[in-house]
């Protein structure tokens, strides 16, 4: 049974074992996030094989590696989206990025790589929100710097290969107003101060800008926020691919949506991409050696993997041959499970490395090759993105072929 949406959540209390919200991710004692507990705590559902098989059947395309391997592992009302799609009804995608840094790391790319797949296989439009206002308030950036970073991050998003005829990217500073703002006010009137404190853990030390922000991230879930895209389509459903730390925003949104005449947005949610030093939550932008960035050179990628990627291998070759690697904690293997598309090859590595026949150095070398190729491909795509292309993706315009 789904937890009542928007109700006060316990994840903000210090005595709880783990904290997962849009601004903080930490596990008990610096350990791993317990995703089963998180599902119970948030009240979402786990994605099972039957759901993956259904997506395969409906789209006629192989499920994305992130679906096959459980990277996107939880959902809210995904079956309802698929039911509607099977009936011939349309939906749209909504995802976003908080532009707080110039360069994205691989963890930042995951929702966009997956969203591109969803856009392709379902042939649906996408709105991408750049929350430059949020980062201005939380990261103490100037308005101008937040806007600059939004455009820089937009180039990385465009480089993921989205279809411009089906994609609208907007920054809050540029777009909020009109119908979008009307929906913000409607949401704001439905959420009490006590409720927003219960969901997000705001305190008396937080400025009112933070308390007023959640409706901004909520209302792209409603088609009437985009009258240039979806005129007269207020019943259009919305699917949101995101990391599970964004769930509090959309629990609030789903609680409010029926009260103001909209469908509850559906969600498909991912686990966190682990830091190089170990699976303790999200990577940290404040520690450049905790992550591989899309701006890293081949030499930097090799150095980071070899020096910082936590190994589950044994202390000596002899012991490793005897006991094999602990794949539960081995970061090179975990990274390959995200980015090595070949299931047979990954299964072979799992067997050989787990038994000790394959050494850590061999696995790291393979990971270096996979990531170097991926980052270089992204770098080339980003270099081809011009300011004019950014303007075109961000132009307020109809998308006449968005469902074709």
């Amino acid at each position: 049974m789904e937890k009542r949406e928007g109700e006060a959540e316990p994840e903000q209390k210090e005595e709880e074992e783990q904290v997962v919200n849009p601004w903080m991710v930490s596990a008990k004692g610096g350990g791993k996030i317990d995703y089963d507990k998180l599902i119970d705590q948030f009240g979402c559902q786990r994605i099972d094989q039957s759901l993956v098989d259904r997506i395969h059947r409906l789209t006629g395309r192989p499920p994305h590696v992130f679906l096959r391997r459980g990277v996107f592992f939880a959902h809210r009302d995904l079956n309802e989206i698929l039911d509607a799609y099977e009936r011939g009804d349309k939906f749209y995608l909504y995802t976003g990025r908080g532009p707080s840094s110039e360069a994205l790391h691989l963890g930042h790319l995951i929702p966009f790589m997956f969203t591109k797949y969803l856009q392709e296989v379902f042939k649906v439009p996408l709105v991408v929100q750049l929350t430059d206002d949020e980062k201005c308030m939380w990261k103490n950036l100037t308005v101008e710097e937040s806007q600059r970073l939004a455009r820089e991050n937009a180039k990385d998003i465009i480089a993921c290969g989205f279809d411009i005829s089906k994609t609208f990217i907007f920054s809050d500073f540029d777009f909020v107003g009109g119908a979008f703002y009307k929906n913000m006010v409607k949401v704001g009137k439905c959420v009490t101060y006590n409720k927003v404190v219960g969901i997000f853990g705001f305190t008396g030390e937080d400025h009112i800008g933070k308390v007023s922000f959640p409706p901004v991230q909520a209302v792209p879930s409603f088609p009437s926020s985009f009258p240039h895209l979806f005129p007269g389509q207020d019943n259009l459903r919305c699917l949101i691919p995101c990391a599970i730390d964004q769930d509090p925003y959309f629990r609030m949104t789903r609680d409010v949506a029926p009260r103001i005449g909209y469908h509850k947005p559906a969600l498909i949610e991912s686990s966190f991409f682990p830091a190089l030093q170990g699976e303790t939550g999200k990577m940290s932008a404040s520690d450049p050696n905790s992550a591989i960035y899309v701006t890293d050179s081949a030499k930097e990628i090799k150095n980071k993997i070899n020096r910082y990627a936590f190994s589950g291998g044994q202390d000596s070759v002899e012991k490793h041959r005897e006991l094999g690697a602990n794949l539960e904690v081995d970061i090179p293997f975990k990274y390959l499970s995200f980015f090595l598309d070949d299931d047979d090859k990954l299964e072979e590595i799992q067997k050989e490395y787990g038994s000790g026949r394959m050494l850590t150095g061999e696995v790291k070398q393979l990971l270096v090759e996979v990531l170097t190729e991926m980052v270089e491909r992204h770098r080339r795509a980003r270099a081809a993105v011009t300011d004019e292309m950014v303007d075109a993706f961000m132009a307020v315009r109809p998308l006449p072929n968005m469902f074709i």
Side-chain angles (χ1 to χ4, degrees), residues 23 40 124 129 142 323 392:
W23 311 288
D40 290 341
V124 290
Q129 181 180 43
T142 65
L323 300 175

Side-chain angles (χ1 to χ4, degrees), residues 84-156:
Y85 182 77
E86 202 159 16
R87 291 192 303 267
D89 296 341
K90 308 299 185 183
F91 67 92
Y92 72 100
L93 298 165
Y94 156 39
T95 194
R97 160 80 183 140
S100 60
S101 59
E102 189 122 10
L104 276 60
H105 57 57
L106 295 186
H108 292 141
L109 284 187
I110 284 169
F112 294 108
M113 294 168 70
F114 186 64
T115 301
K116 177 181 179 288
Y117 153 80
L118 293 174
Q119 184 183 61
E120 282 183 356
V121 299
F122 287 105
K123 298 181 175 61
V124 290
L126 162 69
V127 295
V128 180
Q129 181 180 43
L130 299 172
T131 56
D132 43 7
D133 52 344
E134 177 204 16
K135 294 308 176 185
C136 177
M137 291 187 283
W138 261 269
K139 297 291 186 180
N140 202 28
L141 299 169
T142 65
V143 169
E144 292 74 21
E145 179 66 0
S146 298
Q147 289 181 294
R148 186 187 73 80
L149 291 174
R151 283 188 66 88
E152 289 302 308
N153 286 187
K155 293 176 182 177
D156 282 296

Side-chain angles (χ1 to χ4, degrees), residues 81 84 87 89-92 221-224 230-238 260-264:
I81 288 283
R87 291 192 303 267
D89 296 341
K90 308 299 185 183
F91 67 92
Y92 72 100
S221 310
F222 308 142
S224 68
F230 311 122
Q233 299 182 66
D234 290 0
N235 282 323
L236 199 62
R237 293 180 182 271
C238 176
I260 58 175
Y262 298 113
H263 289 297
K264 294 181 178 184

Side-chain angles (χ1 to χ4, degrees), residues 28-66:
K28 184 180 180 182
K32 292 170 62 174
I33 296 294
D34 186 331
Y35 290 106
D36 287 326
K37 279 190 177 179
L38 203 56
I39 283 175
D40 290 341
Q41 184 180 332
F42 283 1
C44 45
Q45 292 80 46
R46 186 171 280 280
I47 294 173
D48 59 17
Q49 188 58 44
S50 66
L51 203 48
V52 176
D53 292 343
R54 188 181 183 200
I55 291 171
H56 188 185
R57 178 174 59 81
L58 287 177
T59 64
R61 298 275 293 274
H64 194 279
V65 64
F66 294 162

